[in-house]
Every structure is written in C-alpha cells, then in structure tokens.
Amino acid sequence: MPAKPHTSFATHDVTNQPGLRTDRDLWADDPALRQAARLADADKQALAKAGACLGSAEMWEHAEDARRDAPRLRVFDRAGRRCDEVAFHPGYHALLRAGMELGYVAHAWKGQPGGHATHAAMVYFMAQVEPGVCCPLTMTYAAVAALRGSKLAESWVPRLTALAYDPAIEPIGRKHAATMGMAMTEKQGGSDVRTNTTTATPQGDHYILRGHKWFCSAPMSDGFLTLAQAPGGLTCFLVPRWLDDGRNTIHLMRLKDKLGNRANASAEIEYHDATAFRLGEEGQGIKTIIEMVHHTRLDTAMAPAGLMRAALAEAYWWVAHRAAFQHRLIDQPLMRAVMADLTLETDAALALGMGAARAFDGTSQADRAFARISVALAKFISNKRAPVMIVEAMECLGGMGYVEETPMPMLYREAPLNGIWEGSGNIICLDILRTLARDPLAAETLSARLNASTGLDRRFDATLRAHQDRWPALPAEAEARWFAESAANLLAAAYLLELGNGAVAEGFIATRLHGNRGHVLGSVSGIDIDAICERLGMVDG
C-alpha cells in the first residue's frame, strides 16, 4: 500500500475533500451501457475486459501524462535533414496500444454479431479516459470500410485490424500493424471538398500529389486517405507515410493549436509530389470516401456520450463525498434534481449511439438506410447537448471543476469537437433532409422505428403525432434544425422505452418531449428523481 499523504498542517487539517479516484471499472459500474450492449448483442466479455483495463489507475495516469506533455513537431534533424515527425509522450503510445489490442478497430470487422456495437462501446470507454486517442483509432476503424473490396485492401486491412500496435517508422510491408489517418479539407473549401485544388498526376501504377491540406489528423499514421483532382475529376487516394525507399514527401507545416484535446496532434500538411495510390475510380472521390465518413460519424455520435458519462461520474464522486451546510451535497434536493437531469442526458446519448451501432451491424438494405439516418440524428443532438451538460457537471464541483487536476476542463474543451468533425450542425441537418428525400427506405425505417414504440407511453404518442402533424412532408431548409431536434428526441425516447429503463425513459419523455422542465438543466418537476439517481448508486452514496 502506498503511504497516505499528510492531512494535518500547522494552519489547518484537510477535511471534507473526496478521496482520489483510483481503479474504476467502466463496464461493471455502468448499468445503462450493460443494458444497451445486451440489446445490441455486443461482445460482453470483450467489453468487460476493456472496461477494467481502460478504467485502471495506470491508464488514467497515461492519459494525464499524454495531455501534460503535448506532441512536438520535429521538422528537421540536427543536421538539417528533413524528417517531418511528431513526437508523443509514451503515455499516448500506451493508450493507443491498449485500444488496438483490446479490439477498438478489430471487433467491428470480425464478421461476428454485434461487432460495430462492441466497437461503439469501446469508443465510449476511450472517450472517458483520453478522447484524443479516439482520433487515430476511429479513423483506422473507418478506413477499413472504404478499403474493403479494393486492390489496396490485401496489404492494408489485415494490419489495420490487427490486435496490435506498431509505431515503427517503416513501410507497410515491414509492419505487423498499422493506423490510418485522413486529410480532406483545404483552406478555400472546408466541407465543400469539390473545390479542392490538390492535383494528382498519373505515373505508372501510382499518382503524384501536389497541394495542401488544412487539417491532417494524426499525422504519424501509416497512411492517409485524401482527395485530389485527377484527370478524371475528384478522386480518393491512399497516401503512405513511409515508402520502401524512404519517407514520402508529406511536409508537416505546423501543428494546430487546438481548443480541445492536447494529447493528439493535428497538422497542416503539403504534398510535394507525394506518392499516392488510387482508391476507387477517377472522379468518384466522394462516393469512395463516403463509407469512411459514414463510419466516422458513428464514433462522433458515440464519443459525446462517453464525455458526458465521464463528467457525470466525476460530478457524482464529488457530490457523494462532499458536504455543505451540514449535509452531503447529494442529499440536498436541488442537487439531486441536477444529477437526475444530467443522468437523463447521458443515458439518452448512450442509447442513441448504441442504437445507431445496432443498425450498422444489420445486413439488410433497410438496416443500411436506417444506419444513415439514425447516426446523423444521434451525432446532431448529442453533440449539441454535450457542452451544456458538461459545464453543468463542472459546476457541481464548484471551483475544483475549473482546475486542471480534475478531468473537467479537458472534457469541456473536448465537448465541441465531435459536433464539428465530419460535418457541423448545419451540414448534418442538410444531410438528414437529403437522405430522407433521396432514400425512401431511410424515411420508412425511421417512421417504422418511431411507430413501433407507440402504446408504451401516452406522452410519447402525443409528441409523435404532433411531430408528424407539424411535418407531414420534409420541412423547409430553414426549419431543418428544429426537425432534426424533434426527430432525435423521439428516437432517443423510443430507444429508452425499448431498453426498459423505467424512470429514465419516463423522465426523458416528461422533460424532453412533454415540456415538463425549464430551459436549464436541473429545472425539472414531476419525475422520479430518486429512481433515476439510483442508477449511479446515488441514493446510498
């Protein structure tokens, strides 16, 4: 046992301070996740292993180290030779290794039931510990979707899905595991990638790329999927980081000074006649890359649930072990109302993310159509709620919530990211309208899923009727956000009813659908606060 720190000083004694959180079990301590995983046929044994591993004190220490010692850009070596490398703290590599070995990427592509749901739960875990590591892991997972069926798959997919991590600076043929990044947007276009100016010139069995990319996530990945203008139009390419005869000419211009996570690196890059290999047909770049985007969106829908869960757990630890005015914080009615409302937000985001993952695991055309619409709704609403929820959880700690020794500032800084990555709010809402307009099956499956929950709660039924009456057809573009919010809330309520969450489902419907609340978190009435708090052991503390 380590020696306990001193608590008595000449000026005061340390009292009324919660003890430090050490090992925790992200699986065993989360009944909402276990319910959702069971319904999604996820690999419970793998998740139990991952939850214990990633919740260990060792992993939390790795995460703190990786955040404290930020990545460093190394453009030249001491002799002035160009190397274009990013150096990371060993803690970052330890977390990446854990994610790969636990199957963050691999589980989704084993061809077993619940593979994407298992992956989604691991995103949820890692987002609670160090969300910066989710970036390279998520892109590696999503890249497999774009690569499958291509000539490049044979050499890349087995390494991307390996239960191993290999950070060596070596070409793909000499590695047993690999990661994949992406570099899509440019300064002049952003989300409008059709305006990209990077050129791709054919040269035998490969192409030569010249141009810039405004965002290149995880620049030490073994390869990058990127878009460039080939003779036949905008085309998707795989750009290897390392070549058999040395380094590819990918120049790292600078690292982004980001609001959010500090453990991971994002770079601005230039291709100086870099070697690239075509993925898909010339002129079909967006069609080729869309599968990667689609699968990345699953993770950007799931990560905010993990961030919210981490904030909720930290807030509960504080209020359960801290007293004010002669009472524990958790025993005070107003604090209990806040904690119950925070739980509703967290459980709804988890249900939406895992519900979308279930659709990803489906094999029918209807499943694919529902995956497209459900993941967009989940991404939109959960990322709008995450920053507000996390700052409210931060307030539960008072001044300590504003201090970097707690995870709350990191969680708050990270909260906006997933709402921006792979399509900000307006882009997602327009995609929702486009999907429903172009794919009748997407509209049919969404309607069927919502209608399947009628008869379980009269308030849900009334809200669904009001939604259908308000929008018998698709809304005008200016109402797209209102429509998306309404549909997403209904879908979350449907999932919570399906999960049998009792007081949580009823509380969410009463407050989010039926208007039995004010405009700020904790301003609730008429819900079973004790039963909702009980899900985190909050009644007994």
Side-chain angles (χ1 to χ4, degrees), residues 10 15 29 41 67 82 104 132 135 168 187 204 232 261 292 301 349 412 415 464 477 479 486:
T15 62
D29 296 341
D41 204 18
R67 288 193 287 272
R82 186 139 199 156
Y104 184 116
C135 177
K187 296 174 185 176
N261 65 75
M292 184 178 188
Y412 186 59
L464 178 58
E477 181 180 309
E479 289 188 10
S486 176

Side-chain angles (χ1 to χ4, degrees), residues 111-135:
Q112 297 176 354
H116 289 284
T118 304
H119 160 78
M122 290 198 180
V123 176
Y124 176 75
F125 286 156
M126 189 64 83
Q128 295 177 56
V129 182
E130 176 38 62
V133 180
C134 291
C135 177

Side-chain angles (χ1 to χ4, degrees), residues 152-204:
L152 298 169
E154 182 178 353
S155 57
W156 282 91
V157 169
R159 292 170 173 87
L160 298 177
T161 57
L163 294 172
Y165 174 58
D166 182 357
I169 297 175
E170 296 281 0
I172 188 68
R174 296 203 288 268
K175 301 190 69 162
H176 61 277
T179 58
M180 185 73 75
M182 63 192 304
M184 299 294 168
T185 60
E186 298 181 2
K187 296 174 185 176
Q188 71 282 351
S191 296
D192 187 4
V193 294
R194 290 178 176 83
T195 66
N196 282 8
T197 62
T198 297
T199 59
T201 304
Q203 186 167 322

Side-chain angles (χ1 to χ4, degrees), residues 183-190 195-199 209-216 226-228 250-251 253 256 267-273:
M184 299 294 168
T185 60
E186 298 181 2
K187 296 174 185 176
Q188 71 282 351
T195 66
N196 282 8
T197 62
T198 297
T199 59
L209 266 57
R210 178 169 283 267
H212 84 283
K213 293 295 172 181
W214 193 221
F215 281 90
C216 175
T226 196
L227 295 173
I250 304 171
H251 291 182
M253 307 310 292
K256 294 288 192 182
E268 296 170 26
I269 67 170
E270 289 182 354
Y271 295 130
H272 286 260
D273 293 340

Side-chain angles (χ1 to χ4, degrees), residues 354-369:
M354 290 297 286
R358 284 161 54 191
F360 275 69
D361 278 315
T363 57
S364 69
Q365 290 291 348
D367 291 325
R368 287 181 60 80

Side-chain angles (χ1 to χ4, degrees), residues 45 108 155 163 165 182 238 295 301 318 348 384 476 481 520:
Q45 184 175 355
S155 57
L163 294 172
Y165 174 58
M182 63 192 304
L238 193 162
H295 284 77
W318 182 268
K384 293 303 177 191
R481 283 184 173 232
V520 299

Side-chain angles (χ1 to χ4, degrees), residues 308 311-312 342 345-346 385-394 521:
M308 285 192 268
L312 176 64
L342 296 180
E345 292 282 33
T346 304
R385 287 185 166 144
V388 178
M389 182 274 177
I390 291 169
V391 78
E392 196 68 57
M394 183 186 291
L521 284 164

